[in-house]
Amino acid sequence: MARYTGPKTRISRIFGEPILGNGKYLTKNSFPPGQHGNSKKRKAPGEYALQLKEKQKAKYTYGLLERQFHKTFDEASRLGGVTGENLIKLLEARLDNTVYRLGIAPSRPAARQLVAHKHVTVNYEVVNIPSYRLKAGDVISLKDKSRANTSVTSQVRGKNPKFNWLDWNEAELTGTFIAYPERESVPENIKEQLIVELYSK
């Protein structure tokens, strides 16, 4: 199961925002990494560079490598409607992302680990595939043994109210994937149209 394991702050500096979690180091070192990162002579990026950077941002944000991301884009392009919006909807419907959105884990990498280590159930059956695609009405929760594990439950903080495509029952530590989210409800700063243009070349 491949995933990015390199320095998170370096990736955040490339994009100028804390896409992999804690952004406290960006305040004192916000320029891009590398020996020319702080140079004022850096030329403006071209169209292709901007499109590629946006794709990389989406990949790092949701924790996908190239092959898996391309496969998700192909699925989005086959669906009816706007391809870019479909892409974001499919990424948001991943099990690891939903565990993070529900507040069961403090970050997407932590959510991915919870799923891979068989702490999470979907419709009360253990699912250990982070990329598992949720459907409307699916119920996500911690398995009974994990609820008794304080190292797991201590990380639970509950859902942010603005994620209106999810429902959270704090008493039972159970969430429901109500529907695919509308693009305007997803807070990620991703220009998905640039990704569509990149793959359309």
Side-chain angles (χ1 to χ4, degrees):
M1 184 171 62
R3 59 190 176 87
Y4 176 76
T5 58
K8 296 180 181 180
T9 301
R10 184 177 189 278
I11 298 302
S12 297
R13 286 171 58 196
I14 290 174
F15 301 105
E17 52 188 283
I19 64 171
L20 289 181
N22 196 330
K24 64 181 180 179
Y25 297 109
L26 287 177
T27 56
K28 64 178 181 179
N29 196 6
S30 59
F31 52 82
Q35 63 176 334
H36 303 297
N38 201 23
S39 173
K40 295 181 180 179
K41 296 182 179 180
R42 293 173 70 96
K43 62 180 182 180
E47 179 186 34
Y48 177 77
L50 290 173
Q51 294 167 348
L52 181 62
K53 187 175 182 179
E54 211 61 32
K55 183 192 74 169
Q56 298 292 78
K57 183 197 289 187
K59 284 169 51 182
Y60 282 119
T61 297
Y62 288 97
L64 279 70
L65 296 183
E66 180 60 37
R67 185 175 180 181
Q68 197 173 22
F69 189 84
H70 201 162
K71 181 179 178 182
T72 304
F73 180 86
D74 287 343
E75 285 186 61
S77 64
R78 290 195 296 268
L79 297 174
V82 182
T83 299
E85 293 184 6
N86 289 339
L87 175 63
I88 298 298
K89 290 178 180 180
L90 292 179
L91 292 171
E92 283 291 326
R94 286 171 55 95
L95 178 57
D96 56 354
N97 179 76
T98 302
V99 168
Y100 163 65
R101 292 289 194 208
L102 287 170
I104 298 174
S107 65
R108 286 187 181 90
R112 183 188 183 98
Q113 187 176 54
L114 274 184
V115 174
H117 289 186
K118 300 183 179 181
H119 291 290
V120 177
T121 67
V122 177
N123 299 326
Y124 307 103
E125 296 288 337
V126 173
V127 175
N128 66 339
I129 304 172
S131 62
Y132 180 88
R133 183 77 42 73
L134 294 169
K135 302 182 293 294
D138 281 348
V139 177
I140 303 95
S141 59
L142 294 170
K143 68 179 184 181
D144 291 342
K145 188 175 180 180
S146 301
R147 292 173 191 236
N149 187 335
T150 55
S151 65
V152 173
T153 56
S154 64
Q155 300 291 322
V156 178
R157 67 188 189 283
K159 180 183 76 72
N160 188 317
K162 66 184 178 184
F163 303 145
N164 55 19
W165 64 93
L166 302 170
D167 184 51
W168 174 248
N169 186 322
E170 187 171 357
E172 298 182 6
L173 298 181
T174 299
T176 304
F177 186 82
I178 300 172
Y180 287 111
E182 295 301 320
R183 178 61 185 98
E184 57 269 19
S185 300
V186 179
E188 304 306 331
N189 181 28
I190 295 172
K191 300 180 181 68
E192 62 273 8
Q193 184 55 35
L194 293 178
I195 302 174
V196 176
E197 292 171 4
L198 176 67
Y199 279 121
S200 298
K201 291 183 181 295

